[in-house]
Amino acid sequence: SNATPTISSFDILETKISTQILARFILILIVTYSFSRFRRAVEIMFQKQTSKWLVVVTIIQFHFCFYMSRPLANIFALAIILLAYSYWFVQDWKRMIICFAFAAIVFRSEIILLFAPIMLYSLLFNKAPFWNCFFIGIISSFIILALTISFDSIIWNRLLWPEGVVFWYNTYQNKSHNWGTSPFYWYFTSAIPRALNVTLPLSILGIIFESKIRPFVSSII
């Protein structure tokens, strides 16, 4: 797992299973904290009753509870993106940008495709200060890039930017198909219905009857 080199380097634990248990326990605490911050932001934006139903729906769903303790890049990014969304809801642009930058540079570069429309919408309709956001993005990105290269180079004993290697492999070398491919409609006929389950029709109803949610949905579709 991604957590193994760090723990092994400090020689804290004796067995692999102990390492996994510790790593997953810490991760589930982090994701739970991030989700609690996200729930709080939902409460501020859409009232307390909505935040309660968010918790109920999330608990009865399979994917979130199953994956929230698995030490995968997607889950590390999930914890940070939940924080980013909570800052977006309350228009804390600085922390939102830093969270998105950290998640994209360190864990999943594809997150830029999520961040770009959100930032564009915020600049156009939420009156986010352009130059302030621009400089925060540039400065935080360089700092985060320097930190991840320094940290991972020490851990792996070679000059390394892990997500940069993945991005190079998937885009410039165009080898992402080696991970497996599915037809485009697979997302709509399989992935999205299985991931959303009962929340899919509820999401549609929310868009129709709750005007507050429409700006957030429209900026990420």
Side-chain angles (χ1 to χ4, degrees):
S1 69
N2 291 353
T4 301
T6 305
I7 297 178
S8 298
S9 65
F10 291 100
D11 197 25
I12 297 175
L13 302 173
E14 297 179 358
T15 65
K16 291 184 178 180
I17 188 64
S18 299
T19 301
Q20 283 287 329
I21 291 173
L22 177 61
R24 296 183 74 151
F25 179 74
I26 294 174
L27 181 57
I28 200 171
L29 291 179
I30 293 172
V31 175
T32 301
Y33 168 77
S34 297
F35 181 78
S36 69
R37 292 293 300 270
F38 176 68
R39 184 209 60 80
R40 175 58 180 164
V42 170
E43 179 180 325
I44 294 173
M45 179 63 63
F46 301 105
Q47 298 182 349
K48 191 171 185 177
Q49 191 68 19
T50 303
S51 70
K52 289 182 178 179
W53 278 108
L54 169 67
V55 174
V56 171
V57 171
T58 302
I59 290 176
I60 65 176
Q61 297 281 20
F62 165 75
H63 287 84
F64 184 82
C65 295
F66 177 78
Y67 280 102
M68 65 187 298
S69 68
R70 300 191 67 182
L72 305 170
N74 286 352
I75 309 304
F76 295 136
L78 170 66
I80 302 171
I81 294 303
L82 285 173
L83 288 177
Y85 267 74
S86 67
Y87 295 133
W88 179 33
F89 284 180
V90 299
Q91 297 187 6
D92 187 340
W93 311 119
K94 179 181 178 179
R95 289 184 173 88
M96 182 196 79
I97 292 171
I98 292 174
C99 284
F100 271 114
F102 190 89
I105 294 172
V106 178
F107 297 118
R108 293 306 299 256
S109 58
E110 300 96 320
I111 288 173
I112 193 66
L113 300 177
L114 174 65
F115 170 69
I118 289 176
M119 193 69 252
L120 180 61
Y121 184 92
S122 299
L123 290 170
L124 294 177
F125 299 102
N126 293 139
K127 297 181 180 180
F130 174 80
W131 288 112
N132 188 30
C133 292
F134 176 79
F135 286 117
I136 290 172
I138 293 296
I139 294 172
S140 61
S141 295
F142 275 110
I143 293 175
I144 293 167
L145 182 61
L147 289 175
T148 185
I149 292 176
S150 301
F151 179 80
D152 286 297
S153 296
I154 293 173
I155 294 299
W156 297 100
N157 295 317
R158 60 189 177 94
L159 185 62
L160 181 66
W161 173 26
E163 189 55 26
V165 173
V166 174
F167 181 80
W168 183 266
Y169 181 88
N170 289 337
T171 56
Y172 182 80
Q173 294 183 327
N174 195 27
K175 294 182 178 180
S176 58
H177 59 272
N178 291 336
W179 305 112
T181 59
S182 297
F184 177 76
Y185 60 80
W186 176 83
Y187 291 98
F188 302 98
T189 59
S190 180
I192 294 178
R194 286 189 294 110
L196 296 181
N197 291 327
V198 297
T199 60
L200 182 57
L202 293 177
S203 300
I204 297 174
L205 291 175
I207 295 171
I208 295 173
F209 294 106
E210 179 53 75
S211 59
K212 288 183 179 180
I213 201 175
R214 293 170 194 164
F216 298 102
V217 175
S218 63
S219 61
I220 59 177
I221 293 181

